[in-house]
Amino acid sequence: DQQVKQNSPSLSVQEGRISILNCDYTNSMFDYFLWYKKYPAEGPTFLISISSIKDKNEDGRFTVFLNKSAKHLSLHIVPSQPGDSAVYFCAASFGGSNYKLTFGKGTLLTVNP
Amino acid sequence: DTEVTQTPKHLVMGMTNKKSLKCEQHMGHRAMYWYKQKAKKPPELMFVYSYEKLSINESVPSRFSPECPNSSLLNLHLHALQPEDSALYLCASSQQAGGHLSYNEQFFGPGTRLTVL
């Protein structure tokens, strides 16, 4: 049973435009969500996180939105740059077992110059 | 120093070999993790060490044996592996395992690409 779902395997956007990556989850116990970026042959790099008491968190070009009622979160990248091209993983955890991250399958973002 | 380092980068081994993967961090983190990642799949948690004690084993076969010699080092000893164990092995660390949510942001190393022949 996949508890964290990224339904879009890939996304292609033009440089300078907005990239929106989506993630859905099924476990209502999840209370902390993270986004990681991964280049080929490298480990995932932490990007941004959000706790369930918030609905938005912003860090530079990256903003994560959380809709608890819909069990949905999204990562917005504005403006998109070619260097943002990578696989983006959504991950979730819950209180009491915060060390265990459950990952989605990832979305390959391609930003075209 | 905000890096997690892993050695070797690549490893090819036979099914009868014994080898070890090494991971090191100098961020003062007290939780360390081993993950396995197959191609086009998300990372899968294998082990968690918290304050140098094994706190989670995700039903990993005994041919994988973790070791945490001190708070900065994490090893994964490999013995009698199968070809299906070929994967990218990722090490990660976080300030803590549990506690305040932000302490659990995990920082990953570059991984060891393991091929079992």
Side-chain angles (χ1 to χ4, degrees):
Chain A
D1 176 31
Q2 208 181 331
Q3 298 186 62
V4 178
K5 300 177 186 178
Q6 293 177 257
N7 292 320
S8 297
S10 63
L11 174 69
S12 184
V13 299
Q14 284 300 118
E15 182 178 5
R17 306 295 282 267
I18 184 171
S19 295
I20 300 176
L21 298 121
N22 293 304
C23 178
D24 297 293
Y25 61 96
T26 56
N27 189 342
S28 56
M29 291 181 67
F30 287 140
D31 60 9
Y32 196 54
F33 304 89
L34 307 91
W35 284 94
Y36 285 85
K37 176 168 86 171
K38 187 178 185 301
Y39 294 117
E42 292 185 14
T45 302
F46 169 73
L47 272 178
I48 193 169
S49 61
I50 188 168
S51 76
S52 58
I53 61 171
K54 294 185 173 184
D55 53 20
K56 177 182 174 182
N57 189 24
E58 194 170 352
D59 184 1
R61 295 187 298 116
F62 302 93
T63 303
V64 56
F65 295 92
L66 175 62
N67 181 334
K68 285 195 297 293
S69 60
K71 294 193 179 69
H72 176 83
L73 62 154
S74 60
L75 174 68
H76 292 212
I77 306 173
V78 184
S80 302
Q81 300 172 354
D84 296 328
S85 298
V87 176
Y88 288 78
F89 288 101
C90 171
S93 64
F94 62 93
S97 298
N98 281 337
Y99 42 73
K100 181 167 180 178
L101 294 180
T102 301
F103 285 86
K105 289 189 173 182
T107 296
L108 174 62
L109 173 66
T110 303
V111 180
N112 301 302
Chain B
D1 186 355
T2 57
E3 267 193 22
V4 176
T5 59
Q6 290 186 245
T7 55
K9 288 190 74 170
H10 301 276
L11 178 62
V12 179
M13 60 187 289
M15 289 189 285
T16 58
N17 291 159
K18 283 186 182 181
K19 297 286 185 184
S20 296
L21 309 184
K22 296 187 184 303
C23 174
E24 192 165 0
Q25 57 87 15
H26 294 288
M27 295 179 276
H29 289 174
R30 303 313 301 267
M32 296 186 77
Y33 312 76
W34 279 116
Y35 286 84
K36 172 181 174 180
Q37 185 175 22
K38 302 280 266 184
K40 299 192 190 302
K41 300 279 190 183
E44 294 178 13
L45 182 67
M46 299 174 72
F47 302 104
V48 179
Y49 272 83
S50 179
Y51 291 87
E52 297 153 55
K53 292 193 186 327
L54 181 65
S55 60
I56 289 288
N57 176 342
E58 290 283 303
S59 303
V60 179
S62 59
R63 58 185 183 269
F64 295 91
S65 175
E67 179 198 17
C68 189
N70 60 56
S71 60
S72 301
L73 292 173
L74 186 66
N75 298 323
L76 185 63
H77 302 298
L78 314 172
H79 174 55
L81 294 193
Q82 305 295 311
E84 59 264 29
D85 296 321
S86 299
L88 181 69
Y89 287 84
L90 293 162
C91 174
S93 70
S94 64
Q95 278 188 270
Q96 291 183 18
H100 191 275
L101 294 175
S102 66
Y103 295 159
N104 299 283
E105 288 160 4
Q106 294 180 22
F107 295 85
F108 285 81
T112 293
R113 174 71 60 190
L114 174 68
T115 303
V116 182
L117 300 176

